[in-house]
Amino acid sequence: MRVVMFGYQTWGHRTLQALLNSEHDVVLVVTHPKSEHAYEKIWNDSVADLAEEHGVPVVIRNRPDDDELFRRLKEADPDIIVANNWRTWIPPRIFGLPRHGTLNVHDSLLPKYAGFSPLIWALINGETEVGVTAHMMNDELDAGDIVRQEAVPVGPADTATDLFHKTVDLIAPVTTGALALIAEGRTEFTAQDRSQASFFHKRSLEDSRIDWAWPAEDLQRLVRAQSEPYPSAYTFHKGKRLEVLAAVVSEGRYGGTPGRIFYREGDGVVVVAGADARTGRNHGLAITRVRTEDGRELGATEYFTSMGGYLTSRP
């Protein structure tokens, strides 16, 4: 099939590489300009560079809604558009243009975690598996019929970075497998159960801020989710920003006020957590490694030289 590819960052790069390695003919690539957004500078393999290396024409756009792009797409005469990590809405006149429509590749197990940063949100929420879905695009974001989907388990110590590496390897087989079904003439696929759908916004630095009213289990997953190279989870100690690089749920239960720096436990320092911490039934968050405002990385027992005082969400 003649394929036009819409994509960005490493997800788009992997998709384009899979298409270039396939029997299909990539006739045009559309990608975004480089961005200074914190999350868009991560996993930023260039789709444009890969296309140009293979002699594929490239169009750079923030949004795909101008007449010039539409003319280029019509001239390319695609059988299908394949999209992955395209960051803005694709209008119906574009996704409906190819003979076989548009196949979108998304790094979640749709219908859950439509939208942005699905791996981070899924990890924070304690999901037991994540994956990649290829679905036909329609008028509603990430809502079209599922052509192919593959899952991988979330391990008890997995970070968002670990999940990225697990799922990015699914892109090629999911994409080429879905295209094989479409090329065979399949037109009926699995409708999404919209009662199970959830949609998440882009993450920003505000979303890495620690709220000590969260249970320790949730905070520990937040720390894992905001692993390098993502912006680290952070709190404030004596008015200065403190990044939490590693933490575990405490073995003991600690009561009191959320955010209280309470007790050394093993290699960690336990901080009281949970909105109902006053009951004494909660585990705390045992912080094991931190980074200070001036960039020093320290073990928590080295940083917290005495117990007492509070960690806060704001200075």
Side-chain angles (χ1 to χ4, degrees):
M1 293 187 291
R2 291 173 61 82
V3 180
V4 168
M5 189 266 180
F6 278 66
Y8 188 51
Q9 295 178 279
T10 300
W11 295 272
H13 187 279
R14 287 294 188 97
T15 304
L16 177 57
Q17 188 65 67
L19 293 170
L20 292 168
N21 291 342
S22 75
E23 70 274 21
H24 305 292
D25 184 15
V26 183
V27 295
L28 183 69
V29 164
V30 186
T31 188
H32 294 302
K34 291 182 179 180
S35 170
E36 291 303 309
H37 187 284
Y39 282 83
E40 293 184 4
K41 292 167 69 175
I42 301 168
W43 316 127
N44 62 350
D45 294 300
S46 173
V47 170
D49 289 353
L50 179 61
E52 289 167 356
E53 287 168 13
H54 289 80
V56 179
V58 177
V59 178
I60 308 292
R61 287 291 189 278
N62 282 311
R63 296 182 177 276
D65 53 6
D66 61 276
D67 290 339
E68 171 63 17
L69 175 59
F70 187 66
R71 181 186 65 78
R72 293 284 301 273
L73 292 170
K74 288 185 71 174
E75 290 175 352
D77 190 29
D79 293 304
I80 194 164
I81 291 173
V82 175
N84 191 348
N85 199 41
W86 183 261
R87 311 298 280 179
T88 60
W89 182 63
I90 297 177
R93 74 165 180 164
I94 289 182
F95 73 67
L97 176 65
R99 281 174 279 280
H100 296 293
T102 294
L103 181 77
N104 186 53
V105 183
H106 181 70
D107 55 335
S108 84
L109 297 176
L110 294 174
K112 294 182 177 180
Y113 298 96
F116 300 91
S117 303
L119 295 178
I120 294 178
W121 289 113
L123 178 53
I124 290 170
N125 290 333
E127 301 292 348
T128 58
E129 60 179 8
V130 293
V132 171
T133 302
H135 69 94
M136 301 308 300
M137 189 174 286
N138 63 14
D139 288 332
E140 191 175 351
L141 190 62
D142 294 335
D145 290 355
I146 294 171
V147 182
R148 181 165 175 173
Q149 185 176 78
E150 291 193 23
V152 290
V154 177
D158 276 346
T159 65
T161 302
D162 295 326
L163 298 183
F164 165 80
H165 289 297
K166 285 184 178 183
T167 55
V168 77
D169 289 338
L170 298 179
I171 289 174
V174 168
T175 301
T176 57
L179 288 178
L181 294 174
I182 294 167
E184 290 170 4
R186 285 275 300 274
T187 58
E188 298 294 325
F189 302 108
T190 303
Q192 294 190 38
D193 179 356
R194 302 309 294 157
S195 69
Q196 299 299 309
S198 57
F199 182 84
F200 287 82
H201 62 74
K202 290 182 181 179
R203 290 188 70 80
S204 69
L205 294 178
E206 177 65 25
D207 300 305
S208 304
R209 187 190 303 273
I210 292 175
D211 180 350
W212 292 103
W214 283 23
E217 293 81 2
D218 293 357
L219 292 177
Q220 187 256 10
R221 291 195 299 269
L222 173 65
V223 171
R224 286 162 50 204
Q226 297 297 150
S227 59
E228 294 285 354
Y230 296 103
S232 300
Y234 66 93
T235 186
F236 289 88
H237 184 221
K238 297 180 180 178
K240 294 185 177 181
R241 179 174 167 137
L242 183 69
E243 296 181 13
V244 178
L245 304 181
V248 297
V249 177
S250 69
E251 294 181 7
R253 298 177 187 271
Y254 299 88
T257 301
R260 177 74 174 189
I261 303 162
F262 197 163
Y263 190 75
R264 289 187 179 89
E265 187 182 272
D267 294 330
V269 171
V270 177
V271 179
V272 177
D276 59 346
R278 66 186 182 281
T279 65
R281 293 192 293 266
N282 290 5
H283 293 278
L285 185 72
I287 298 172
T288 57
R289 193 155 191 83
V290 299
R291 182 188 291 129
T292 61
E293 279 191 341
D294 59 6
R296 292 181 303 137
E297 292 191 19
L298 302 166
T301 55
E302 182 181 1
Y303 174 80
F304 294 104
T305 56
S306 61
M307 299 299 97
Y310 292 87
L311 298 180
T312 58
S313 295
R314 299 187 183 276

